Amino acid sequence: MAANDIVVSAIGVHKEYRMGSEVVHALDGIDIDIYRGEYLSLMGPSGSGKSTLFNMIGALDQPTKGDVFIEGENMAQLTMEQLAWIRCNRMGYIFQSFNLLIVMTALENVTLPMIFAGLSPKQREERGKELLSIVGLGDRWSHRPTELSGGQQQRVAIARALANDPDIVLADEPTANLDTKTGREIINLLKELNESQNVTIVSATHDLKMLDVSDRVVYIRDGKVEQIRARDEIDIHVGSLAGEHE
Amino acid sequence: MEQQAQSDSAIRSQIRLPFSEAVRISFQSLKIRFWRSIITTLGILFGIAFLVAVISGNTIEAAVQADETQTVDSLAQEAEPSIPPHQVWLVIMSLIVCVVGISNAMLMSVTERFREIGTMKCLGALDRFVVLLFLLESSLQGLAGAIAGSIVGTLFALLVNLRAAGWSLWRVFYQFPWFTDVNGAPLGVAPVILIGCLVGMALAVIGAAGPAFRAAKMPPVEAMRVEV
Ligand SMILES: Nc1ncnc2c1ncn2[C@@H]1O[C@H](COP(=O)(O)OP(=O)(O)OP(=O)(O)O)[C@@H](O)[C@H]1O
Ligand SMILES: [Mg+2]
């Protein structure tokens, strides 16, 4: 895996929301390349456009102007079915509010994307249980989300995101609903997966704990990329940034 | 070249939801929201019971009267319409109550699950999977409610006539209107039960279709943004 192997690239991405006569420029010309195997954090104040960019990169929404390429394919040129296929097979999503299906057990949540991908029941159960034990919930597979703590639910969500061996896992504020300690555990788990399974991770966050584990940090402000910093640069600046953003 | 090859592979390996899995998921969904499901099912049950009781009640009553007329004097009786005009509106009302009740129940069940629908679409579900799941749920409820409703309605019609006609109802039994009524119309007790079941299923699907299609068409991010 070469360091310059690009998984996702956004080129001149704009997103406008029309609210009556007013136009909100949520994204204002974003250019960004995401490399295979890296841990990338999107940082920025509330309302800066992190979630909007997350949706564009994740093939969940289309830009008003500009293009998003995932594995070299232009998202604007795909049919609904192809987009669904990409969401199912190439992407894994983790959300702030976990978004597990409450009628299903942990195992069923993890295996749902595998049903869509066409795996057999036996393959699904095997892989589902394996993923749950990777995230440390091997013995809780039969529990429903209401029987799990927030941190455990987020672990199930992480296992589900990995269901179909995605090229990239996107996490939008995965620690925002968790206490500091649990948040730290989730971040460590994501980092571990990033290193051991070589999954590309893109995480939108306010959480400064994320800085330690990120290979690169992209700072977003008012829908623009303010600056991009690599790991070694962050370590020098982390103190002053912590002061600046708290 | 490479882009072309990838598009092809994306087209070839379709996203799928086997029917058996869809049934399993719908069933589970109903089971876990047990009381909510029971209330929707009861709505269908009452609507269909009413419909079946009105039609079968007429059929049985006409059969009893025809029997009495024959015994007292064998004058040719005047053929009455199978469903008297003053009762047609009752039948129509019961159907409307059914559709409105089911639509309302489905609308609520869809609205409170927008986030779930958005999540499923993020995991790769196609619009038609979402529609399929909701229609399956409602037709399972429709079937259960309609079968129970038809039985309840028929029993009710029998009891009412037994009270009104007394023992003469039993004399009718050897020519009980199982399949056709006195006019030969296919409104005997058995076909009415069948009609009740079909109508119940159809109403459940019609009532659920609107909300289900609307929910399925929502883009995933929008569906998940909705706070309920
Ligand atoms: N569906 C929408 N309709 C209208 N405006 C929107 C919509 N989604 C986002 N916006 C606007 O776009 C801008 C960027 O929003 P976004 O959610 O991307 O911010 P964010 O960086 O994720 O913020 P936070 O850290 O609070 O989650 C905001 O001004 C927001 O009001
Ligand atoms: Mg956000």
Side-chain angles (χ1 to χ4, degrees):
Chain A
M1 304 257 163
N4 58 357
D5 189 359
I6 294 172
V7 193
V8 178
S9 70
I11 300 169
V13 167
H14 290 254
K15 182 71 180 182
E16 294 169 3
Y17 291 106
R18 248 164 251 283
M19 313 280 281
S21 58
E22 209 184 325
V23 178
V24 181
H25 294 273
L27 294 180
D28 207 5
I30 298 257
D31 293 294
I32 192 176
D33 286 332
I34 296 165
Y35 304 117
R36 193 178 304 284
E38 78 172 329
Y39 192 126
L40 183 100
S41 290
L42 302 172
M43 288 244 170
S46 188
S48 54
K50 300 183 297 292
S51 296
T52 311
L53 181 59
F54 173 95
N55 294 337
M56 303 295 149
I57 295 172
L60 295 175
D61 205 352
Q62 299 278 359
T64 318
K65 211 172 88 193
D67 290 303
V68 174
F69 293 88
I70 298 177
E71 298 277 355
E73 286 188 69
N74 190 342
M75 289 302 104
Q77 291 169 0
L78 299 183
T79 63
M80 292 300 278
E81 310 231 333
Q82 289 170 320
L83 279 173
W85 186 88
I86 289 203
R87 288 176 198 143
C88 181
N89 291 282
R90 297 237 159 107
M91 299 284 163
Y93 308 93
I94 300 167
F95 302 94
Q96 174 178 342
S97 48
F98 322 135
N99 286 5
L100 297 177
L101 301 177
I102 53 145
V103 298
M104 298 186 179
T105 63
L107 182 63
E108 287 165 339
N109 265 286
V110 176
T111 53
L112 186 63
M114 302 179 197
I115 298 182
F116 296 151
L119 265 64
S120 75
K122 198 163 164 288
Q123 290 171 311
R124 296 201 299 258
E125 191 181 327
E126 241 165 57
R127 174 139 180 82
K129 285 186 174 167
E130 184 195 322
L131 285 170
L132 281 171
S133 54
I134 289 177
V135 300
L137 290 176
D139 51 342
R140 305 299 293 272
W141 61 269
S142 62
H143 289 244
R144 300 209 0 243
T146 45
E147 299 158 353
L148 298 172
S149 72
Q152 289 169 332
Q153 289 188 47
Q154 197 61 301
R155 284 168 189 271
V156 176
I158 292 172
R160 181 178 68 183
L162 296 173
N164 292 328
D165 256 325
D167 294 323
I168 178 167
V169 168
L170 292 152
D172 193 359
E173 315 220 13
T175 58
N177 282 2
L178 302 172
D179 62 54
T180 313
K181 182 170 161 288
T182 319
R184 166 59 72 188
E185 284 168 15
I186 292 294
I187 291 171
N188 289 342
L189 174 60
L190 287 173
K191 184 61 188 173
E192 232 175 271
L193 293 169
N194 168 242
E195 280 170 350
S196 65
Q197 320 261 318
N198 202 35
V199 210
T200 313
I201 292 186
V202 175
S203 169
T205 186
H206 291 293
D207 194 340
L208 292 167
K209 295 194 287 296
M210 282 278 191
L211 289 176
D212 301 348
V213 299
S214 306
D215 296 321
R216 285 198 300 158
V217 179
V218 176
Y219 293 91
I220 312 261
R221 190 178 287 270
D222 299 329
K224 292 193 180 76
V225 175
E226 194 179 45
Q227 53 176 322
I228 302 182
R229 286 198 177 153
R231 175 69 152 282
D232 41 0
E233 294 171 300
I234 303 163
D235 289 336
I236 306 167
H237 294 282
V238 85
S240 66
L241 280 167
E244 205 176 292
H245 281 258
E246 280 300 42
Chain B
M1 274 314 274
E2 197 195 314
Q3 279 187 30
Q4 192 55 44
Q6 281 178 344
S7 300
D8 283 353
S9 77
I11 297 166
R12 253 183 278 118
S13 50
Q14 289 287 329
I15 293 290
R16 68 204 114 201
L17 177 61
F19 191 72
S20 58
E21 294 291 343
V23 172
R24 196 180 54 77
I25 293 171
S26 310
F27 203 76
Q28 188 174 6
S29 203
L30 288 173
K31 205 174 74 187
I32 283 168
R33 296 186 175 85
F34 184 74
W35 292 111
R36 158 67 47 86
S37 318
I38 286 292
I39 288 169
T40 312
T41 307
L42 278 179
I44 300 168
L45 188 153
F46 286 129
I48 296 302
F50 192 61
L51 175 75
V52 167
V54 169
I55 301 178
S56 284
N58 279 324
T59 303
I60 297 171
E61 195 184 328
V64 171
Q65 275 169 5
D67 180 66
E68 280 168 356
T69 326
Q70 268 170 13
T71 344
V72 176
D73 54 357
S74 41
L75 279 176
Q77 40 130 14
E78 265 179 48
E80 272 200 49
S82 299
I83 303 175
H86 69 276
Q87 286 198 339
V88 168
W89 72 269
L90 273 181
V91 172
I92 292 174
M93 271 260 293
S94 71
L95 290 177
I96 290 175
V97 168
C98 254
V99 178
V100 172
I102 295 165
S103 300
N104 184 44
M106 287 313 289
L107 200 65
M108 278 175 59
S109 128
V110 170
T111 312
E112 70 182 15
R113 284 155 73 184
F114 274 151
R115 179 178 285 277
E116 200 172 298
I117 294 166
T119 306
M120 280 205 165
K121 291 183 80 169
C122 284
L123 301 180
L126 296 171
D127 294 6
R128 62 167 189 272
F129 296 178
V130 176
V131 173
L132 176 66
L133 288 174
F134 277 102
L135 290 190
L136 271 175
E137 265 187 41
S138 69
S139 41
L140 284 172
Q141 287 172 313
L143 188 66
I147 290 174
S150 299
I151 294 170
V152 168
T154 307
L155 288 179
F156 187 78
L158 278 173
L159 283 178
V160 166
N161 277 292
L162 189 61
R163 239 194 89 157
W167 289 113
S168 61
L169 182 62
W170 297 119
R171 288 216 313 277
V172 182
F173 246 102
Y174 67 95
Q175 51 182 32
F176 192 75
W178 287 115
F179 299 105
T180 53
D181 66 2
V182 284
N183 300 329
L187 291 175
V189 172
V192 169
I193 289 177
L194 191 67
I195 290 169
C197 291
L198 292 179
V199 169
M201 286 267 282
L203 292 187
V205 171
I206 291 169
F213 276 104
R214 200 169 65 93
K217 274 212 303 274
M218 283 177 103
V221 256
E222 245 161 73
M224 283 195 303
R225 206 195 320 273
V226 181
E227 293 293 337
V228 184

